[in-house]
Amino acid sequence: MWMRGGTSKGGFFLASDLPADIEARNKLLVSIMGSPDMRQIDGMGGAHPLTSKIAVVSPSEREDCDVDYLFLQVQPDTGSISDSQNCGNMLAAVGPFAVERGLVPAKDGETVVRVYMVNSDSQADLLVQTPDGRVKYDGDAKIDGVPGTHAAIIQNYYGTAGAQCGALLPSGHEVDVIDDVEVTLIDNGMPSVMLRASDFGLSGYEEPKAIEETPGLKDRIESIRLKAGEMMGLGDVTDKTIPKMCLISEPQNGGIINTRTFIPHRVHEAVGVLAAASDAAACMFLNSVAKGLAEFEQVNPCRVDVEHPTGMMTVELEWDGETVIRTGLLRTARKLMDGVVFP
Ligand code: NQM
């Protein structure tokens, strides 16, 4: 099934329909996407990392979850495929997919789909609209970065703090210095490096393309990323899609913080869901690099509006003073096509 999940798009597969052998599975999926090829002209991929994504779903053997969700990122140009990161945008569509495929019985009204997220060994509960026991895709919820309105899908994440790095602040510090630049290393479900846009001579409000084309910037960011990866316990991240590199600046449109995110080599047209969850968590630390940029009152749960190139993403954090207990977000998703693909 091809679906839009949040501001991303990709293929949703039952694990039982794919080869059990991981190498054979990956080869098949890369070929379905049409990679390696920047344009993915001979496959289903949309020629951008955000539209070259795969979700593999199976019934869960865990008592507290209904389905297991494995996320795989195919890089259009190189054809590399990686399970190193989770994806909260694709996750939005896992709920409807699980109901459509009969993995979770639909209730009349709303159905909770409890998802075990394999990549980050953590859980998310999704609230899916199912009037008369059928998934409803149309509705009045609007998310920035997607035209029109659709049925709301509420996401509640648990256990994301330190999910991949072992601690919300993986280095144990609110600020570290890498290549003479102050950074905050953070993991609330997406290992991320927060950097001040102004430290790179940017306003932080540039378009993604302009940031990608800024002379020398990609090399400086990548040099910091490789060192940050080691400091975050992720090892050599040369071929990994984490950590994400988030350039922050003062909000412009009523939010708490403004962002431009390298994911990690292209700049996101909006912001990743768990990346935003990590950005929001960094703002909770009063001495992080967000100090002086993100000014807000810490209440509990705390609403942190994260601005991005195409609007704003609202993150709700339940916070115990030291770490994040629950992260809540609103997304939408849509079934685009259900059929047979010819690799
Ligand atoms: O951070 C893009 C996306 C993402 C990831 C990326 C995401 C998340 O927007 O949870 O959603 O960072 O590669 O799909």
Side-chain angles (χ1 to χ4, degrees), residues 14-323:
L14 290 173
S16 53
D17 285 343
L18 295 171
D21 176 71
I22 291 178
E23 212 173 302
R25 179 200 70 190
N26 286 353
K27 202 167 163 225
L28 174 69
L29 292 173
V30 168
S31 123
I32 287 173
M33 281 299 186
S35 285
D37 170 27
M38 191 52 242
R39 294 186 306 147
Q40 295 182 316
I41 197 68
D42 202 29
M44 299 293 291
H48 191 286
L50 297 176
T51 49
S52 181
K53 298 186 168 229
I54 304 266
V56 181
V57 181
S58 53
S60 185
E61 286 177 4
R62 293 168 178 262
E63 266 184 19
D64 53 355
C65 289
D66 302 305
V67 293
D68 288 353
Y69 153 53
L70 171 73
F71 169 69
L72 297 169
Q73 175 72 59
V74 176
Q75 293 301 349
D77 50 352
T78 63
S80 73
I81 179 166
S82 167
D83 64 1
S84 68
Q85 73 167 87
N86 193 356
C87 177
N89 270 310
M90 289 288 278
L91 170 73
V94 169
F97 178 75
V99 174
E100 296 258 11
R101 285 285 185 263
L103 301 181
V104 178
K107 298 211 170 97
D108 181 9
E110 292 176 337
T111 302
V112 176
V113 178
R114 300 168 308 164
V115 183
Y116 173 66
M117 301 183 293
V118 177
N119 307 76
S120 57
D121 184 26
S122 52
Q123 183 176 341
D125 293 348
L126 308 174
L127 192 61
V128 182
Q129 308 300 310
T130 51
D132 302 321
R134 296 187 56 169
V135 178
K136 181 175 185 280
Y137 291 98
D138 59 324
D140 56 13
K142 166 106 188 78
I143 61 168
D144 287 337
V146 178
T149 66
H150 304 84
I153 295 174
I154 308 287
Q155 303 182 321
N156 275 308
Y157 293 89
Y158 301 93
T160 48
Q164 285 186 258
C165 300
L168 185 57
L169 293 174
S171 68
H173 308 132
E174 294 189 25
V175 175
D176 290 286
V177 177
I178 306 178
D179 290 357
D180 295 327
V181 176
E182 284 196 332
V183 302
T184 292
L185 310 178
I186 188 110
D187 172 20
N188 184 26
M190 184 63 73
S192 299
V193 179
M194 314 278 290
L195 316 127
R196 287 187 208 95
S198 56
D199 285 344
F200 297 87
L202 299 170
S203 69
Y205 311 111
E206 294 84 356
E207 289 297 319
K209 193 164 178 286
I211 294 181
E212 287 177 359
E213 289 172 357
T214 301
L217 181 63
K218 275 190 170 179
D219 290 345
R220 279 185 76 191
I221 295 282
E222 185 64 2
S223 165
I224 295 175
R225 194 180 80 85
L226 296 179
K227 291 170 189 151
E230 299 283 357
M231 290 167 69
M232 297 172 87
L234 298 167
D236 179 3
V237 296
T238 311
D239 295 322
K240 293 185 181 163
T241 57
I242 51 172
K244 308 292 176 186
M245 305 300 284
C246 179
L247 297 163
I248 57 170
S249 50
E250 267 180 52
Q252 262 194 331
N253 299 305
I256 301 291
I257 194 78
N258 178 56
T259 62
R260 296 289 185 271
T261 314
F262 279 90
I263 60 166
H265 302 124
R266 302 291 307 270
V267 175
H268 205 303
E269 299 293 329
V271 63
V273 172
L274 287 155
S278 292
D279 299 342
C283 293
M284 302 299 280
F285 291 99
L286 301 179
N287 294 312
S288 75
V289 292
K291 184 178 174 179
L293 300 177
E295 300 293 346
F296 64 113
E297 195 192 342
Q298 288 199 4
V299 289
N300 204 15
C302 197
R303 177 181 159 159
V304 183
D305 292 322
V306 177
E307 297 183 2
H308 57 70
T310 40
M312 188 133 73
M313 189 179 301
T314 295
V315 180
E316 189 185 64
L317 295 178
E318 215 173 295
W319 173 259
D320 71 1
E322 284 182 8
T323 194

